[in-house]
Each structure stands twice: as C-alpha cells, then as structure tokens.
Amino acid sequence: MGGTGMENAKSKNKKESQTMEEKLNTLRAGVLGSNDGILTVVGVLFSVAVATTNQFTIFIAGLSDLLACAFSMASGEYASVSTQKDTEKSVVAKEKQLLKTDFDTDLRVVSDYYVDQGVSKETADKIAKDLMSKKPLETIVNVKYDLQLGHYMNPWNAAFSSLFSASAGGIFPLCAMTLSPIAFQWPATILAVCLSVGLTGYLSARLGNGLVKTAIIRNVIVGIITMIIHYSLGILLAA
C-alpha cells in the first residue's frame, strides 16, 4: 500500500509539472500575440490618422485591424501547435514500433546518452537496462527527442491565448488614439505603445529566462521604428 501511495504521488506530481509547462507555453503564445496586436494596430492607426482626422474612421480602421490580427494569430497558433502535436505523436508511434523490432539499438542509444552525461560505461549500461525494462517508450522518446510521453501542447489553448492577448494588446493604442483629446492623441498613443511593448518585453524575458533589460529596450525600439515607418507611409499616401 505504501509503495502504491508513493507511485500515485509521483504520478500526480508529474502531471502537475506537465500542466505547469503547458501553462507557460500558453502564456508565451499570449505574450507574443499581445505584442503583435500592439504593433499591428498602431501601424494601421498611424497610417490612417495621418491621412484623416475623422475619429470614427480612425477607430473603425483600428478596430478592423485588431480583429483581423487577433483571428489571424489564433488560426496561425492553432495550425502551428497542431502540426507540432501531430509530429510528436508520429515520433512516438515510430519509436513504439522500433522497440518491437530493434530494441537493442534503442538500448544502446540510452546507454550512450548517459555516457555523454559523464556516467561510466558500466553504470550507463545498468541505468539503460533498468529504465528500458520499466518504461521503454517513455525513456526512449525522452532521450532521443526530449519529449515527455503523453505531454502535448493543446492547440486550442494556444489559439485562444493568442486570440485574447492580441485583442488585449491592440486595445492600448486603439483607446489612446481614439479616446484621447485630439490635441494629445499622438503623444498618448506613442506613450501607450512604448509602455505596452515594454511590458510584453519584460514578460517574454521573464517567461523565457532571458535578459529583462535587453528585451524591454529591444521591444521599445521595434515599437518606435514601427510607428516611424507607418507615420511616414501615411504621409506619402496622403500627399
């Protein structure tokens, strides 16, 4: 009974770990979607606002682009994650067949893996035999492909995360441009964009264990360049 309880606890902890990893992947997709929503919407807003001062026209153009960007991001994320999931399932099916037809080769692969990690050949052989006797499929897909058996990203989670985050990101420049007094709409929008892309840079760095300051500066520079390009384009088209 004690051994069964420990196994159940380990299984539960593993599932919780996988769930957390899935949540982090979904959050990363959300951060990227939010950043795209901000830059795409402000690009359209700047181009249109240079050509016309009609607030309703600017709002409709920005809103239309926000919705298009959100659904585009969602569909792209769904297709991407679905393809990744299908590929991983195909790999698992392939390895399941190889375990039946060429078990010894997979056994050597696992042993070589631990030798590369600094374990002696004799100990590596023992570890490989022990793991492959208990959880052969789980072991080989983890060693060969760095995959956890049964652990796949949910394409729907990624899609909805991108959908809502892209919409939320685009709201910042849209509200700043269309709700601010006309005299302040340009500086308000520039400030909103810089703050929001700085925030997405911060979040992406924290989630990816990257350099926070570098990510923030990079995102702000990209945001400023995006605004300059679309402002210039609007002037050319309005001329």
Side-chain angles (χ1 to χ4, degrees):
M1 289 291 291
T4 302
M6 290 181 65
E7 289 176 1
N8 290 337
K10 289 179 180 179
S11 176
K12 182 179 179 181
N13 288 336
K14 181 179 177 182
K15 288 180 180 178
E16 289 176 353
S17 176
Q18 290 178 348
T19 301
M20 180 57 67
E21 186 175 344
E22 290 172 353
K23 287 180 179 179
L24 287 175
N25 284 328
T26 301
L27 284 172
R28 290 188 190 99
V31 170
L32 293 175
S34 180
N35 199 65
D36 281 357
I38 296 165
L39 296 180
T40 303
V41 171
V42 76
V44 169
L45 288 174
F46 268 46
S47 297
V48 175
V50 170
T52 179
T53 57
N54 187 300
Q55 292 295 92
F56 183 72
T57 300
I58 297 171
F59 173 76
I60 291 299
L63 181 62
S64 298
D65 184 72
L66 184 152
L67 294 174
C69 174
F71 282 102
S72 174
M73 286 291 298
S75 61
E77 196 67 34
Y78 178 83
S80 175
V81 174
S82 294
T83 300
Q84 178 183 336
K85 184 177 179 180
D86 291 342
T87 301
E88 291 175 355
K89 285 187 173 182
S90 175
V91 164
V92 171
K94 174 186 175 183
E95 291 302 326
K96 185 181 292 186
Q97 183 61 33
L98 286 175
L99 285 171
K100 296 177 182 178
T101 59
D102 199 5
F103 182 85
D104 289 341
T105 297
D106 280 344
L107 186 63
R108 285 196 300 273
V109 169
V110 176
S111 178
D112 290 342
Y113 169 80
Y114 283 100
V115 169
D116 291 339
Q117 301 303 309
V119 178
S120 67
K121 177 62 176 174
E122 182 180 356
T123 304
D125 287 341
K126 290 180 180 179
I127 294 174
K129 289 178 182 178
D130 183 54
L131 290 174
M132 293 295 281
S133 66
K134 296 176 180 177
K135 299 177 180 179
L137 184 59
E138 183 175 336
T139 299
I140 197 64
V141 297
N142 182 258
V143 168
K144 276 190 175 182
Y145 306 100
D146 195 25
L147 296 176
Q148 294 183 29
L149 191 62
H151 175 65
Y152 309 110
M153 276 190 67
N154 188 319
W156 287 108
N157 286 348
F160 282 116
S161 176
S162 291
L163 176 68
F164 291 118
S165 61
S167 300
I171 288 289
F172 287 101
L174 181 61
C175 289
M177 177 65 77
T178 58
L179 298 182
S180 299
I182 294 179
F184 301 103
Q185 65 180 13
W186 288 100
T189 305
I190 293 171
L191 179 62
V193 170
C194 289
L195 290 176
S196 54
V197 294
L199 178 60
T200 59
Y202 170 80
L203 292 174
S204 63
R206 291 301 301 270
L207 290 172
N209 295 319
L211 299 174
V212 173
K213 185 177 180 180
T214 300
I216 293 174
I217 293 175
R218 180 173 58 238
N219 266 26
V220 171
I221 291 175
V222 170
I224 292 173
I225 292 174
T226 299
M227 289 185 281
I228 292 173
I229 290 174
H230 285 87
Y231 182 82
S232 302
L233 181 62
I235 291 177
L236 290 175
L237 294 176

